[in-house]
Amino acid sequence: MKENLKFAWFASWFALVGQLVFFIVVSIVTGDWRYVMWSFMVSMLAGVPSMIRTFQSQKKANNHKMEPTHKNI
């Protein structure tokens, strides 16, 4: 089964940075900076583990590509 790592990277970056940027804009518009505080914690809790997991999957996929698929005996 082929993994879609491009989407995984996009989702990981969005979880880490995209949500935070969105809530910074919301905080600027509303003037209530609690949105940034709570979104920062959620972004870190969701983004960091997803980045680690995506990095491990990418590393595993790259190692799998380098292994020979057949032996010439």
Side-chain angles (χ1 to χ4, degrees), residues 3-4 16 26 30 35 37 58 61-64 67 71:
E3 293 183 26
N4 190 356
L16 191 61
V26 169
T30 62
Y35 290 115
M37 179 184 68
Q58 182 76 46
N62 288 344
N63 287 340
H64 185 63
E67 293 176 2
K71 296 181 180 178

Side-chain angles (χ1 to χ4, degrees), residues 20-33 35-36:
L20 189 59
V21 170
F22 174 76
F23 282 108
I24 286 173
V25 172
V26 169
S27 295
I28 290 171
V29 170
T30 62
D32 190 0
W33 290 95
Y35 290 115
V36 174

